[in-house]
Amino acid sequence: MAENLEQQDALFVNLVLIFQNAAMQQMGKITNPMTGKVEKNLEQARFSIDMIDMLRSKTRGNLSSDLEKLLDTTLTNLRMNYVDEANKEASGEGGAKGKDTPPEGESTDAAGPEGGDKATGGEEADAK
């Protein structure tokens, strides 16, 4: 049974990393391995970040502390990068192919470790 739990933990980590890598590609932070080009689509990046946030919400209380830390660290990192890219586009610096900006009226200020949801529009204020 412990072997099955270890396998499930490894699969969970893999799932988080899939969404993390997708978000980094969609923010133009890493090259798309399929095209060999840097591509930017902040709307898709928001979706990938929101998927990780949903995983955290739905699994809260059912994960080891290591897996919870992985989710928290991953979300904080992605949100900070998202805010950076959104600010670049808003100021015209982003040499991006996409034209996404944060939704109207949404703050692009980098929030602290617990309030990073401003960048993705999620709801984080509940658990900590």
Side-chain angles (χ1 to χ4, degrees):
M1 182 143 150
E3 184 177 305
N4 189 33
L5 184 58
E6 288 177 17
Q7 181 182 16
Q8 288 181 355
D9 285 354
L11 290 171
F12 186 83
V13 168
N14 221 3
L15 181 62
V16 172
L17 293 177
I18 287 168
F19 284 113
Q20 177 188 34
N21 284 331
M24 293 299 276
Q25 285 177 30
Q26 294 153 348
M27 287 186 279
K29 297 285 189 178
I30 58 176
T31 303
N32 180 332
M34 299 296 283
T35 64
K37 297 178 182 176
V38 174
E39 302 165 344
K40 189 184 245 186
N41 183 331
L42 291 183
E43 184 176 330
Q44 283 295 310
R46 281 180 56 118
F47 178 79
S48 295
I49 295 166
D50 286 345
M51 289 294 287
I52 298 171
D53 190 43
M54 177 275 304
L55 284 173
R56 181 172 66 176
S57 295
K58 294 293 184 180
T59 59
R60 186 166 280 131
N62 292 314
L63 297 176
S64 68
S65 61
D66 287 341
L67 291 178
E68 286 183 18
K69 185 175 180 178
L70 170 71
L71 287 173
D72 290 342
T73 303
T74 300
L75 283 168
T76 299
N77 180 25
L78 289 174
R79 288 176 176 139
M80 296 298 277
N81 278 284
Y82 180 89
V83 168
D84 180 51
E85 290 304 314
N87 285 338
K88 283 180 187 176
E89 283 199 8
S91 68
E93 291 178 32
K97 296 174 182 155
K99 54 185 175 184
D100 298 343
T101 56
E104 189 175 320
E106 186 168 311
S107 171
T108 57
D109 294 335
E114 293 182 357
D117 285 335
K118 290 180 181 171
T120 62
E123 21 179 73
E124 165 57 19
D126 57 345
K128 298 198 179 191

